[in-house]
Amino acid sequence: MRIIKYLLLLFLLSLVGLTVYVATQKGDFEVSKSSIIKTPRNTVFDYVNDYKNWETFGSWMDKENNIKFEYPSKTMGSGGYCSWESSAVDGNIKTYFVKENDSIFQKANFNSAKSDIFWTFKDTTGGTKVTIHTKGKMDVLTKIKTFFNGGISGVLSDAFEKSLRNLNKTLDYEIKTYSIKVNGIVQKSSGFCIKQTVSCRIKSVSKNIKIIMARMVSFFKKNKLAMAGKPFILYDRYDVANDFVTFSVCIPTDKQVFISSGSDMTTGEIIPFTCLKTTLIGDYSHTAEAWSKAKKYIADNGLTQNFAGKYVEVYVKTIDDVKQPSKWITEIYIPVFPKVAVAKPAVVATTTVITPTESAPTPVETP
């Protein structure tokens, strides 16, 4: 009995000693991991730059099924933010600096362990070289937890490697899986909306749409306004020659809503028009191809675009509905003139008279 007590005491002393040893170790850490992503750099950058995409490739995606993410109105670019919590982990991350298609700097708080995170994106053979570099300081609890899992360097290296592997797999499948269907001529119905109009260069259209869309959704929630349909874009001008686009981000309402003066949002009204409908199922990077196929259909079928009408993109299913880009649905509406039915000439009844001297029948009109 006495021996058991001594053994138990020895075990407790060893445990205390180990805990003290671990707790007094340096809490600073610095880890880097790189991988080749088989996708163009701008696509990889845009995907990582938006926190709403992180659920699809983060190392926790198939381990913490009960994790809950919270997103504010801004989730991409400088000032973008995201937080999460579950029974095992909680934390938040914020973007402080972004260099387009090149690098991202963030600060993260993961279970009270604070760190700086640096992403870099470089063109390379076969795709994009993505590097994650982090440095920070652990609290005592994190030191103890990671010590029994091989140390913080091992834990973070495994997590980064898995995240990069998931990112490559996600982009390789999700971006490349898509379909385009030209549905045919339809009548676009009338309605009211709240919109915000902006002008920019062509390459900035996608980014501005995401930013303004999130801001408008937040505006609707804050003012307890009901959305009467899916968000959509109205293109007022798309000047390729001068690299200039003017468009409005719109959210439909069931009635006209009056906005106070001084706001960057206004009330709009959609007038019914005849248009060609085309549906894209997949990532937005294929939107240009969808527009091209729609315009080819117009040319091949003798239709004429109505340049006085509105060109529309409706976001039927987005990242807020489903995380996988291959399942996003975008409808494109190009205004066209209704095809005028050409009246067929009336059929004239005829009687054939045969005479012995004729070698062939001759038609004779009858009244």
Side-chain angles (χ1 to χ4, degrees):
M1 190 70 173
R2 184 175 296 177
I3 294 176
I4 295 176
K5 289 182 179 180
Y6 283 139
L7 291 174
L8 181 60
L9 179 61
L10 182 62
F11 172 75
L12 291 174
L13 290 173
S14 299
L15 183 61
V16 171
L18 180 61
T19 303
V20 172
Y21 169 77
V22 173
T24 55
Q25 295 301 299
K26 286 182 62 178
D28 297 332
F29 62 86
E30 189 166 358
V31 178
S32 291
K33 203 71 180 179
S34 298
S35 183
I36 306 300
I37 308 299
K38 300 175 184 178
T39 305
R41 181 164 57 132
N42 64 317
T43 302
V44 182
F45 177 87
D46 288 343
Y47 201 76
V48 173
N49 191 32
D50 191 343
Y51 289 125
K52 287 186 177 180
N53 294 320
W54 282 38
E55 291 184 52
T56 65
F57 70 85
S59 59
W60 56 79
M61 61 181 290
D62 56 4
K63 184 176 69 174
E64 291 292 341
N65 294 325
N66 65 335
I67 195 166
K68 181 182 178 182
F69 291 85
E70 293 290 337
Y71 301 105
S73 59
K74 188 173 180 57
T75 60
M76 60 180 289
S78 181
Y81 182 83
C82 169
S83 62
W84 60 89
E85 62 178 15
S86 72
S87 57
V89 296
D90 64 86
N92 56 72
I93 185 168
K94 184 176 181 178
T95 301
Y96 284 84
F97 174 80
V98 168
K99 185 177 180 181
E100 194 77 16
N101 295 328
D102 180 84
S103 55
I104 301 173
F105 169 59
Q106 304 158 327
K107 286 182 177 288
N109 185 343
F110 188 85
N111 273 2
S112 298
K114 297 182 179 180
S115 63
D116 295 338
I117 301 176
F118 306 85
W119 294 78
T120 57
F121 307 83
K122 302 295 181 184
D123 288 324
T124 189
T125 303
T128 307
K129 181 181 179 182
V130 178
T131 300
I132 311 176
H133 179 86
T134 184
K135 63 180 181 179
K137 193 174 185 64
M138 298 178 287
D139 60 6
V140 174
L141 186 58
T142 304
K143 287 183 188 179
I144 296 172
K145 283 183 177 180
T146 55
F147 178 83
F148 291 103
N149 286 290
I152 186 65
S153 294
V155 170
L156 288 178
S157 290
D158 289 345
F160 288 169
E161 184 176 352
K162 186 173 183 180
S163 293
L164 290 171
R165 188 167 60 247
N166 289 340
L167 178 62
N168 183 50
K169 188 185 301 182
T170 297
L171 289 175
D172 189 52
Y173 174 82
E174 292 295 336
I175 301 301
K176 295 178 181 177
T177 303
Y178 72 101
S179 66
I180 298 172
K181 180 182 179 181
V182 179
N183 305 97
I185 303 298
V186 299
Q187 189 73 13
K188 200 77 175 71
S189 58
S190 61
F192 294 102
C193 67
I194 293 178
K195 64 180 183 177
Q196 182 174 345
T197 303
V198 66
S199 296
C200 64
R201 297 176 64 184
I202 291 175
K203 72 173 186 178
S204 301
V205 170
S206 179
K207 180 178 70 175
N208 282 327
I209 287 175
K210 290 180 181 179
I211 293 172
I212 297 172
M213 189 75 73
R215 188 183 301 160
M216 291 195 66
V217 170
S218 177
F219 175 84
F220 266 67
K221 290 180 179 178
K222 182 179 179 180
N223 291 278
K224 297 180 180 179
L225 295 172
M227 296 172 58
K230 294 294 184 178
F232 60 94
I233 306 299
L234 288 179
Y235 288 96
D236 298 308
R237 178 182 176 188
Y238 204 102
D239 189 343
V240 177
N242 294 298
D243 190 20
F244 187 82
V245 182
T246 298
F247 64 92
S248 299
V249 179
C250 312
I251 294 182
T253 56
D254 56 1
K255 59 184 178 181
Q256 188 172 14
V257 177
F258 294 96
I259 307 294
S260 58
S261 60
S263 173
D264 53 4
M265 297 183 190
T266 58
T267 298
E269 182 178 4
I270 306 300
I271 307 300
F273 62 96
T274 301
C275 52
L276 177 71
K277 176 183 176 182
T278 302
T279 301
L280 164 66
I281 300 179
D283 184 71
Y284 302 131
S285 59
H286 305 292
T287 304
E289 183 182 343
W291 278 92
S292 179
K293 285 191 175 183
K295 290 179 179 179
K296 184 178 185 302
Y297 180 94
I298 290 173
D300 291 346
N301 289 271
L303 298 171
T304 303
Q305 292 187 54
N306 179 6
F307 294 106
K310 296 293 186 180
Y311 291 70
V312 181
E313 284 179 0
V314 180
Y315 300 116
V316 178
K317 189 172 288 187
T318 68
I319 192 172
D320 294 321
D321 304 303
V322 58
K323 296 302 177 184
Q324 294 84 358
S326 63
K327 298 180 180 178
W328 297 346
I329 300 176
T330 306
E331 294 176 348
I332 295 172
Y333 296 90
I334 298 179
V336 295
F337 288 104
K339 209 167 185 179
V340 179
V342 179
K344 294 182 179 180
V347 177
V348 179
T350 62
T351 300
T352 301
V353 178
I354 304 296
T355 63
T357 59
E358 290 181 316
S359 59
T362 302
V364 179
E365 293 188 0
T366 59

